[in-house]
Amino acid sequence: MHCLSKAIRHVIRTWMVCVSLLVTHGLAGKMKIVEEPNTFGLNNPFVAQGSRLQPKVTPSPVSGPAHLHRLAGKCFSFIESTYKYEFCPFHNITQHEQSFRWNAYSGILGIWQEWEIANNTFTGMWMREGDACGSRNRQTKVILTCGSSSKLAQVSEPSTCVYSLSFETPLVCHPHSLLVYPTLSEKLQREWDEAEQAHYEGLITEQGYNNLLRDIFEDAGFLKSQKVKVKPDVAAHSKTHDSLQKCSEDFHKQSEEIERLRALLTQHNISFESSPNEAQGPVSVTVKDQHLRGDNGLIADLQ
């Protein structure tokens, strides 16, 4: 009897262990494992393409002070509250919510576009065309400040979906490290010199001067071009058609004017000389005074 009781207890114990294991494995199979957000954003080649963040545009080429170009290809992280920010100079800025929520945010705050320039100084890097935010896209201004090491120091959101990021680096500690003029080619430096001289002498307005500087900065690759691009084939066809039509109209008007003047001279018995090839070839005009390109604010032309 004692042996039978012992055997029953052994069976019950074995059954309880089996039930316990079954319940444990069953629940484990239903548990949801939430992985840490993809903190590498656009820059992790090991993440499946479908899981990566998708940028709207490609970054602009690396530009600005040559000593800052060494930052290209590097990324710097910063954690504030429940968000992790990753800044990759001349590439992008991403934000990742450090949360176990099923819909934790992970997105792009901006793609490298252009410099902000004021008073002959690079004052900031603009990262635009980030993720949609209502009717516009997120954008971030990166302010470069002097520091003992290269790192993100602060992130804020001054206005909705417009972010401000402070990046410290010893590369900007020299007083002249962010000057614009020394980074320009000799040709663009000469153009800037001419613009400064014209502005000083009052030959162009403030608006014209600013337009000239923008042209120079666009040519240097510091700013995105604001010129409207037209398809080459359409533009060429339109330009050729307009040019030929206008040329024909001008030629007809000039011929009529020549005949009128000849008749007037003949009527008053005034002699005149005519060239055998007159009105048969294009008229060549030499312009002595040329305006500075890009200026629409000329005050006066000085002879």
Side-chain angles (χ1 to χ4, degrees):
M1 186 70 178
H2 177 72
C3 293
L4 179 62
S5 177
K6 185 176 181 180
I8 292 175
R9 287 199 300 271
H10 177 73
V11 171
I12 294 174
R13 188 180 299 109
T14 302
W15 179 80
M16 291 180 65
V17 170
C18 291
V19 171
S20 177
L21 291 173
L22 179 63
V23 171
T24 301
H25 283 286
L27 291 177
K30 295 181 180 180
M31 287 180 64
K32 182 178 179 181
I33 306 299
V34 181
E35 298 180 355
E36 182 181 0
N38 171 24
T39 57
F40 291 96
L42 312 179
N43 312 294
N44 187 356
F46 302 104
V47 177
Q49 186 65 35
S51 302
R52 299 185 195 176
L53 301 179
Q54 301 299 322
K56 292 183 174 65
V57 298
T58 57
S60 296
V62 177
S63 65
H67 61 279
L68 295 181
H69 294 183
R70 70 186 69 176
L71 295 175
K74 299 180 180 179
C75 295
F76 304 87
S77 299
F78 176 75
I79 297 178
E80 184 175 51
S81 184
T82 59
Y83 290 98
K84 182 174 184 178
Y85 300 88
E86 188 171 55
F87 169 51
C88 303
F90 304 108
H91 199 275
N92 64 69
I93 294 178
T94 55
Q95 180 190 52
H96 310 279
E97 183 178 357
Q98 305 294 286
S99 170
F100 290 99
R101 297 188 305 120
W102 69 272
N103 63 340
Y105 176 77
S106 183
I108 304 171
L109 301 187
I111 304 292
W112 161 240
Q113 295 292 294
E114 62 181 355
W115 288 95
E116 179 178 270
I117 299 176
N119 299 324
N120 187 28
T121 304
F122 293 103
T123 57
M125 303 176 69
W126 273 107
M127 318 291 251
R128 297 192 173 98
E129 302 300 330
D131 288 347
C133 180
S135 59
R136 57 179 177 171
N137 296 326
R138 301 175 191 270
Q139 58 180 330
T140 303
K141 178 182 176 180
V142 180
I143 303 172
L144 305 177
T145 60
C146 175
S148 57
S149 62
S150 295
K151 64 178 181 179
L152 289 182
Q154 186 179 4
V155 178
S156 61
E157 190 175 357
S159 58
T160 305
C161 297
V162 178
Y163 304 84
S164 176
L165 185 151
S166 178
F167 180 71
E168 293 183 357
T169 175
L171 298 176
V172 300
C173 290
H174 191 280
H176 300 159
S177 60
L178 292 176
L179 292 181
V180 178
Y181 188 88
T183 65
L184 297 173
S185 64
E186 292 184 5
K187 176 179 176 295
L188 293 180
Q189 286 182 351
R190 286 196 302 270
E191 291 184 11
W192 195 342
D193 294 340
E194 293 172 359
E196 290 289 346
Q197 184 66 27
H199 186 232
Y200 176 78
E201 295 178 358
L203 301 179
I204 55 176
T205 62
E206 188 70 24
Q207 179 184 358
Y209 170 74
N210 291 331
N211 289 340
L212 286 174
L213 289 188
R214 179 164 189 94
D215 284 344
I216 293 171
F217 298 154
E218 286 183 3
D219 289 347
F222 302 153
L223 302 180
K224 296 284 287 184
S225 176
Q226 295 182 344
K227 299 175 183 177
V228 178
K229 296 183 178 179
V230 182
K231 293 183 178 180
D233 54 343
V234 176
H237 174 74
S238 176
K239 183 176 181 180
T240 303
H241 176 74
D242 292 344
S243 177
L244 290 175
Q245 182 178 2
K246 188 175 185 304
C247 182
S248 299
E249 293 175 354
D250 291 344
F251 179 79
H252 181 68
K253 291 179 180 179
Q254 290 176 5
S255 298
E256 291 180 345
E257 181 65 13
I258 290 173
E259 291 300 326
R260 188 186 69 82
L261 292 174
R262 283 177 174 172
L264 185 62
L265 292 173
T266 303
Q267 181 180 356
H268 291 82
N269 297 320
I270 300 176
S271 61
F272 61 90
E273 297 180 358
S274 61
S275 174
N277 297 325
E278 184 176 7
Q280 294 182 3
V283 178
S284 176
V285 180
T286 302
V287 180
K288 295 182 179 180
D289 296 330
Q290 295 181 350
H291 299 330
L292 294 171
R293 66 183 184 83
D295 174 47
N296 60 358
L298 288 173
I299 294 179
D301 295 328
L302 299 182
Q303 299 298 331

